[in-house]
Amino acid sequence: MTPPQRVAAGEVIGQALAESDHLPDLKTQVIGELWLRDLELTAWRVLHADRRWDDPDGRQAFLAAWTST
């Protein structure tokens, strides 16, 4: 994602989260950015949680799917 795309995505995600959660004190862009960071961190944890995967094709499939979005 480019920086402008990230800002736009963070704003949209933040607006949705602010409406559904009770987070009126946080700016929507901040909420969205935190959500995006958590998503990225989770993906990296999944990817690197076990470097001894018995299925290297599965790991490559995950990498391909992650980088294609």
Side-chain angles (χ1 to χ4, degrees), residues 45-59:
R45 284 181 180 157
V46 168
L47 180 61
H48 296 291
D50 187 358
R51 294 181 184 260
R52 301 165 295 168
W53 280 12
D54 293 333
D55 181 13
D57 292 334
R59 185 166 194 234

Side-chain angles (χ1 to χ4, degrees), residues 2-3 5 9 11 20 25 32-33 39 43-44 51 53 58 60 65 68:
T2 66
Q5 289 172 327
E11 185 67 32
S20 65
D25 296 335
E33 177 64 26
L39 173 68
W44 282 111
R51 294 181 184 260
W53 280 12
Q60 287 303 324
S68 70

